[in-house]
């Protein structure tokens, strides 16, 4: 079994992936994995909490939509998918991949061919945003009065 | 405070097959039972709860409990897989003090605690009064207590097996506290009946 | 008192059919897709999410389409929709210092670590209609520059508060879960957590006006924009099935830290105090208004005068919600026939009595 940290990091990557990418990754496996749905995929809400002043006491900002699903793959591992949005199929695919990544014949391959490139792509997208932001950085200078 | 549940084999037996439709059907049956006290409702949905949990008990839990409803599980229910199953599928936080619970689940009617142990709400907020889900060996529309009150045209008859002898007196005494009080759902097999706090029990 | 009125079903159905036709407008013009609204009317979508209190850009865009662009109607639709969904839990408090920052400016400190980042903003535009937008055409891609090495951008105030002259925001003792207005009614005196939730979902116009009033002297708070930031933050929650926090994706947020002069009190030395505002998506005006009002509502706690409307917790919190407000105002359209009939009788009787009294007075004068 993988450590909690490893599991947290692939879940974060999978949660940000496009559903089609995850679908293709699961379909591409041979032999095709099978799973049992333990908690059927459903969409619901999570209350988003913030802190006064960013660091102070907690308060509720508002809700966000979340989809979730729990599956058990053949062979035993239980996978859990919680993803922002209402895409129930995506939550199920994340749960399936979470189970497959924990152990079994596909774990290594999925980590290398799915999770690693996805993580790279997501980081590149983040860098693109940061580089546009960097282009709008200003250096204010105060005019000296009365000179 | 939310009970963290590691999925065990018992917990992993599925909940509702059709979460939305089944919950709606179970809610309908619960609503009918509560609005016609004494009437026995039969659930028709497929459900495979862990050993010791009747289908109607399970359906009531899956329908009424969620992350916002602290639940107290009677010790015998908490001991076996039932607790894990209920917590896993409903996400309800499990509390150890009966008086802090919005819902209480008892699989063994004979060891039902004193009604005073639960939260009856306040005169200002009677809706905070707890709902008990009590699993009993049998429910019968004949040969039992006579019920009257809202939702009953003249009189209804309900026999609830397996309750402690003290229940009748305690439940009748509770009527004096109205609008404070407890709403009680009785589950047996796939059947459900209710004694909301508005119902007056006669011997 | 409202009286049930029967009939009118066909008129209602026909009115709704006409609404659907009006919503579509001229069929010769291509229909607007939900995705187009989401992408190209983003700030309208963001406001609907903030006040609808549900972060879901697709649904907010759909609500706007359905509401023919009427913001408050769209907000109402989103609020109604959220009541149909189960809640899986609450997220961990978001960490805005870990935001992927798109914009971040401070009006109190000039030289801030990471610099002043303007982001995409209407500020410094000339507010001249751009007729070029009437023609189709793709904009040039935005320029890029090398981003800072350090991705984490801590709050300006927290970093530069070396003299400890600005109030420090710390979690409450034991860091308790906050009260939730969607689960429990407003109660007074309302704690700050409840006020912040109320303001976060409050009407932008109302919150802005209340904040503006503080600047004009009704509950002066002498504010400075300590920091405004906009970007995306990761959201984490603890699924009960796992027992540890997982990252479920990003949401876009705007945050405003207002810094306010404070003369001090018996227990507190003179210092700067703070007000906080936040909105889903990009909503600076709302976040700033909220921060001003948050601070104004702290007047009593800080021992200041509380005689202006923006200091009146009950007044502000009871009138900030546009779904409630529009409901109560618009309910006046519902049949009040019996109500009005009884008032008519009362007024007629009063008039009869007044007339009788006048006649009696005239008669008396004549005699």
């Amino acid at each position: 079994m993988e450590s909690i940290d490893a599991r947290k990091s692939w879940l974060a990557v999978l949660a940000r992936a496009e559903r089609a990418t995850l679908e293709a990754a699961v379909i591409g496996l041979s032999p095709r994995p099978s799973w049992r749905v333990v908690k059927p995929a459903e969409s619901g809400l999570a209350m988003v909490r913030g802190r006064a002043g960013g660091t102070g006491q907690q308060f509720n900002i508002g809700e966000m939509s979340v989809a979730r699903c729990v599956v058990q793959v053949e062979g035993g591992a239980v996978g859990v998918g919680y993803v922002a949005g209402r895409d129930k199929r995506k939550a199920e695919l994340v749960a399936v991949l979470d189970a497959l990544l924990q152990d079994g014949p596909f774990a290594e391959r999925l980590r290398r061919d799915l999770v690693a490139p996805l993580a790279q792509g997501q980081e590149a997208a983040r860098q693109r945003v940061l580089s546009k932001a960097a282009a709008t950085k200003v250096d204010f200078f105060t005019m000296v009065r009365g000179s | 405070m939310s009970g963290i549940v590691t999925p065990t084999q018992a917990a992993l037996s599925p909940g509702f097959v059709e979460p939305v439709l089944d919950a709606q059907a179970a809610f309908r049956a619960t609503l009918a039972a509560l609005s016609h006290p004494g009437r026995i409702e039969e659930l028709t949905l497929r459900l495979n709860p862990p050993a010791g949990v009747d289908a109607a008990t399970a359906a009531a839990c899956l329908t009424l409990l969620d992350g916002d409803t602290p639940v107290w599980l009677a010790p015998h229910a908490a001991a076996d897989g039932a607790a894990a199953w209920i917590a896993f599928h409903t996400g309800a936080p499990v509390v150890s003090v009966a008086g802090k619970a919005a819902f209480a689940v008892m699989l063994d009617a004979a060891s039902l605690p004193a009604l005073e142990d639960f939260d009856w709400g306040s005169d200002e907020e009677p809706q905070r009064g707890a709902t008990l889900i009590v699993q009993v060996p049998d429910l019968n529309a004949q040969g039992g207590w006579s019920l009257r009150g809202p939702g009953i045209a003249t009189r209804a008859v309900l026999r609830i097996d397996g309750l402690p002898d003290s229940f009748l007196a305690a439940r009748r005494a509770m009527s004096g506290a109205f609008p404070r009080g407890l709403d009680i759902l009785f589950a047996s097999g796939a059947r459900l009946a209710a004694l909301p706090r508005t119902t007056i029990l006669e011997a | 008192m409202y009286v049930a009125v029967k009939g009118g079903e066909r008129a209602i159905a026909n009115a709704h059919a006409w609404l659907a036709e009006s919503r579509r407008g001229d069929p010769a013009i291509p229909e607007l897709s939900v995705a187009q609204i989401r992408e190209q009317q983003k700030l309208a979508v963001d406001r609907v999410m903030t006040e609808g209190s549900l972060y879901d850009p697709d649904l907010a865009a759909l609500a706007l389409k359905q509401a023919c662009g009427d913001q408050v109607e769209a907000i109402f639709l989103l609020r109604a929709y959220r009541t149909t969904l189960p809640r899986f839990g609450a997220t961990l408090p978001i960490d805005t210092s870990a935001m992927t920052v798109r914009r971040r400016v401070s009006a109190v400190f000039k030289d801030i670590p990471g610099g002043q980042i303007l982001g995409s903003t209407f500020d410094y535009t000339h507010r001249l209609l751009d007729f070029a937008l009437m023609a189709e055409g793709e904009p040039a891609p935005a320029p890029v520059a090398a981003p800072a090495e350090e991705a984490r951008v801590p709050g300006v105030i927290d970093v530069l508060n070396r003299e400890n002259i600005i109030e420090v925001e710390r979690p409450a003792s034991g860091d308790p879960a906050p009260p939730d207005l969607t689960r429990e009614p407003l109660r007074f005196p309302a704690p700050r957590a409840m006020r912040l939730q109320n303001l976060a979902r409050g009407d932008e116009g109302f919150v802005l006006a209340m904040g503006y009033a503080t600047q004009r002297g009704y509950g002066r708070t002498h504010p400075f924009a300590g920091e405004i930031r906009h970007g995306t933050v990761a959201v984490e929650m603890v699924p009960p099935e796992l027992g540890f926090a997982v990252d479920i994706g990003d949401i876009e947020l705007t945050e405003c830290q207002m810094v306010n002069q404070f003369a001090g009190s018996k227990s507190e030395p003179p210092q700067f105090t703070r007000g906080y505002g936040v909105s889903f998506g990009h909503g600076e005006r709302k976040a700033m208004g909220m921060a001003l009002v948050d601070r104004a509502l702290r007047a009593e706690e800080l021992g200041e005068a509380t005689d202006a409307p923006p200091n009146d917790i009950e007044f502000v919190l009871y009138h900030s919600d546009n779904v409630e407000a529009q409901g109560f105002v618009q309910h006046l359209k519902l049949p009040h026939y019996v109500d009005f009939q009884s008032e008519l009788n009362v007024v007629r009787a009063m008039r009869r009595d007044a007339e009788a009294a006048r006649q009696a007075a005239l008669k008396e004068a004549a005699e």
Side-chain angles (χ1 to χ4, degrees), chain B residues 124-125 128, chain C residues 181 184-191 194 313 317-318:
Chain B
E124 196 187 14
E125 294 180 296
R128 288 186 180 265
Chain C
L181 279 179
E184 53 198 289
L186 257 183
R187 247 176 246 189
F188 297 97
M194 201 169 239
I313 294 176
L317 300 195
Y318 268 142

Side-chain angles (χ1 to χ4, degrees), chain C residues 167-178:
Chain C
E167 177 185 28
V168 177
E169 295 269 18
R170 293 201 179 82
S173 160
D175 203 12

Side-chain angles (χ1 to χ4, degrees), chain C residues 322-343:
Chain C
N322 56 25
V323 176
E324 283 173 14
Q326 68 86 30
F328 202 46
V329 168
Q330 296 213 73
H331 104 283
L332 293 172
K333 295 183 289 194
L334 294 173
H336 283 66
Y337 304 136
V338 171
D339 251 359
F340 189 67
Q341 204 64 48
S342 80
E343 302 253 328

Side-chain angles (χ1 to χ4, degrees), chain A residues 4 7-8 11-12 15-16 39 42-68 70 80 82-86 98 126-142, chain C residues 53-56 58-59 82 85-91 93-94 100-102 110 114 116-119 143-147 151 169-171 175 178-180 193 196-197 200 234-235 239-242 244-251 257 274 276 280:
Chain A
I4 286 179
R7 204 169 162 197
K8 282 169 79 144
L11 282 171
R16 286 173 174 75
K39 202 180 253 187
E42 60 177 331
S43 72
L45 305 167
M47 178 52 92
V48 181
R49 290 199 174 139
R51 289 186 182 281
T55 52
Q57 60 175 292
Q58 297 188 34
F59 73 98
N60 293 309
I61 300 176
E63 285 162 311
M64 65 186 286
S65 41
V66 177
R68 72 170 177 196
V70 181
V80 176
Y82 268 73
V83 296
R86 282 168 297 114
D98 176 44
R126 204 175 80 89
Q127 287 302 326
R128 277 196 296 279
V129 169
L130 291 175
S131 56
K132 281 182 197 168
T136 68
K137 193 157 121 183
V138 279
D139 295 312
F140 286 118
F141 54 93
T142 311
Chain C
S53 212
L54 176 62
Y55 190 95
D56 191 314
D58 290 306
L59 291 180
R82 69 156 280 283
L85 294 176
R87 189 189 284 177
F88 299 153
T91 72
I94 45 158
T100 300
V101 167
R102 290 165 177 253
K110 181 163 55 76
Q116 308 265 1
I117 298 164
L118 300 184
V144 295
E169 295 269 18
R170 293 201 179 82
D175 203 12
D180 183 357
L196 286 167
Q197 182 182 12
V235 182
E241 297 89 347
L242 287 176
F244 55 85
V246 297
D247 182 341
I248 62 171
D250 295 316
I251 61 172
Q257 307 270 6
R274 293 165 67 167
Y276 186 67
F280 284 149

